[in-house]
Amino acid sequence: EVQLVQSGAEVKKPGESLKISCKASGYSFTNNWIGWVRQMPGKGLEWMGIINPADSTTRYGPSFQGHVSISADKSVNTAYLQWSSLKASDNAIYYCARHVRNISSRWIDPWGQGTLVTVSS
Amino acid sequence: QSVLTQPPSASGTPGQRVTVSCSGSSSTIDAVTWYQQLPGTAPNLLMYSNNQRPSGVPDRFSGSKSGTSASLAISGLQSEDEADYYCAAWDDSLYGWVFGGGTKLTVL
């Protein structure tokens, strides 16, 4: 079974750093790009960025470029989302998701269970 | 960058047929996917390539696309269908996914 298992909920103070993880299993990790999606409280889904675990090529959504860092370690089948200095506006649930592609189409499946990040002084 | 517009809400009674629309701003929108997010859970793939159901998704769910607009139809509405539904499309210029704002479906 293809699974993405994310690290647990975090409570941090503004200005602190944070790195959350997304461990893949059930498929060859380097065969599929992994993306990150933000969901702020009571709001919709926002695309943050995507990484190719095979060579760590990364692309970021315009709203997130420079604010977060996406990385991957293929030796442990894990992707990461990192902040160097959290803000209160980073309060959200963060999902990782596997990007699937065939000749004519793309989709996202599966999604991780989500990591709740709470930033509060 | 493409924009996908969904109605914020939809509703129906058990057994009814409801549709959720997804209107795109760009003529270059690729195939549309749909995700169902049950309360308090992660999104789940419901439809890909406009009208393809993954295994395990009931055939009560169907998808279609015409031009830059797509629709998700749910027939024989059930209480467990109460959820948020999101359309999404890949944007080559962004090299990322564009999501619609989501539609909250209420089963009355």
Side-chain angles (χ1 to χ4, degrees), chain B residues 52-89:
Chain B
Q52 300 299 301
R53 280 189 311 277
S55 60
V57 173
D59 60 6
R60 302 186 295 105
F61 293 88
S62 61
S64 64
K65 180 174 178 285
S66 177
T68 59
S69 291
S71 289
L72 174 72
I74 310 171
S75 60
L77 195 63
Q78 300 180 3
S79 58
E80 56 260 40
D81 298 332
E82 191 161 283
D84 294 324
Y85 292 84
Y86 294 91
C87 63

Side-chain angles (χ1 to χ4, degrees), chain A residues 25-58:
Chain A
S25 63
Y27 73 101
S28 178
F29 183 58
T30 54
N31 281 357
N32 297 84
W33 292 57
I34 294 281
W36 287 92
V37 176
R38 182 175 77 176
Q39 187 167 38
M40 299 179 76
K43 301 298 184 182
L45 305 174
E46 300 175 87
W47 179 256
M48 300 179 71
I50 193 169
I51 187 167
N52 180 357
D55 63 8
S56 290
T57 298
T58 310

